[in-house]
Structures are given as C-alpha cells and as structure tokens.
Amino acid sequence: MYITPTDVKHYLYCPGIIAAKRIGAEEPPAEYLSERRPLPPELAAGYSRIEAEVPPRRPPLRGVADYIAVDKWGGVVPIETKAGPGPPTTPEIYQLAAYMWMAETRGPVRYGILIKDKPHTIPYTPDLAEALMTIIKNIAQIYAGRDPPYVTRRCAACGYARHCIYKNTPRA
C-alpha cells in the first residue's frame, strides 16, 4: 500500500474521501488539468535545472511532482501548479509538503513553490514536516480499515460523494 500527495490533499478536504478510495472509488477526472501548466519564465530563470513530471518516491509516499527545480546551491525545490486564483489552501500546502518530504531523497529542501495565479513560496519547516507525518499516519490507518476521524460534509463539491459511506450518517 502506498499513499500519494493527492491523498494528503483529499484527507484534509474530507477524510471520507480516503475511506471511499479504500473501498475502490476511483478519482474523478480533473477536466481542467488536461494540459500541464508551463512555469512562468521569470520563475524558471532562477534555477540551474528544472525537471518536469518527476516521480519522487519515499515510502510510504509516491507520486508525480509537476516540477522539481534545483537551485544554484544544489537545493531541491518541488513545484506544484494549481488552477484558479487566490492564496494556497491548507490541503494544497500539505500536498506540496508531501512532495517536499519526498524530494529530500534528492537533496536539501528549504521550500517549495505552489503556483496558482502567481507563485507562492511555502517554507519547509520542521513543524510542517511533523504535521505531515501525522496526516500520513492517519491516512494509513484509514486505508487499514479504521473509520475516518471526521467527515466535513462538503459533499456538494466532492467528486467522491456518490461513493461516500458517511454522506447520510450523522456526525459522531
């Protein structure tokens, strides 16, 4: 069993998604992501090397980062692109944190970049890494059969709603 950075994002949106995936629900297609978004030229110019669609792995996580950049000091910088304007959401930050944690196998990681309408630099701190490990542990427990600790009831906007075993049950 492996966990993806998308699982981390889904868990923070609603842990019921992880339970739905446990019983075999497939991720709905993200139609707005039919093409990979290019990096802004001014961002790309600041790095010695940029690799696209890099599959970093570090058990229990695996996934495909949109980009991995290497700065002139050898630091590794995961870059994730998202649709839409506005500041990064907590689920998006933790998805990027998962890529940062996995990228540590390639070199030192001090920050990652989340691009929405503009680039946002997200520091990779010990507190962020520790919180990520707690989330990963919780996801692993749900995949192992434990019920989610809570369900957010964001069903109207959730592509997994038809698979959700918690949708019509009262909160504990």
Side-chain angles (χ1 to χ4, degrees), residues 35-98:
E35 294 182 20
R36 187 167 43 88
R37 289 178 211 75
L39 288 179
E42 67 277 6
L43 179 67
Y47 296 96
S48 61
R49 186 174 80 244
I50 296 179
E51 302 169 26
E53 296 183 350
V54 179
R57 286 183 167 78
R58 184 175 181 188
L61 289 177
R62 78 177 190 189
V64 178
D66 289 340
Y67 298 94
I68 298 283
V70 178
D71 66 21
K72 61 184 175 182
W73 300 281
V76 180
V77 182
I79 302 171
E80 181 71 6
T81 59
K82 296 291 180 190
T89 65
T90 298
E92 292 168 340
I93 290 169
Y94 277 91
Q95 181 183 23
L96 179 62

Side-chain angles (χ1 to χ4, degrees), residues 72-159:
K72 61 184 175 182
W73 300 281
V76 180
V77 182
I79 302 171
E80 181 71 6
T81 59
K82 296 291 180 190
T89 65
T90 298
E92 292 168 340
I93 290 169
Y94 277 91
Q95 181 183 23
L96 179 62
Y99 286 120
M100 289 189 272
W101 184 77
M102 289 189 298
E104 284 184 312
T105 62
R106 302 183 69 175
V109 177
R110 292 185 300 279
Y111 64 93
I113 298 175
L114 184 65
I115 301 173
K116 290 184 90 169
D117 53 338
K118 64 180 184 175
H120 301 271
T121 300
I122 308 298
Y124 186 52
T125 65
D127 288 344
L128 182 63
E130 183 178 332
L132 174 66
M133 293 301 105
T134 299
I135 291 166
I136 291 169
K137 180 180 119 196
N138 291 342
I139 292 169
Q141 289 174 345
I142 294 170
Y143 274 133
R146 182 177 287 174
D147 286 340
Y150 63 93
V151 177
T152 61
R153 305 287 186 201
R154 295 177 172 162
C155 304
C158 179

Side-chain angles (χ1 to χ4, degrees), residues 1-31:
M1 194 251 339
Y2 63 90
I3 296 168
T4 69
T6 302
D7 288 340
V8 171
K9 179 179 73 172
H10 286 159
Y11 175 85
L12 288 167
Y13 185 77
C14 179
I17 294 172
I18 304 303
K21 290 169 92 174
R22 178 183 74 210
I23 61 171
E26 292 187 22
E27 185 170 358
E31 295 171 14

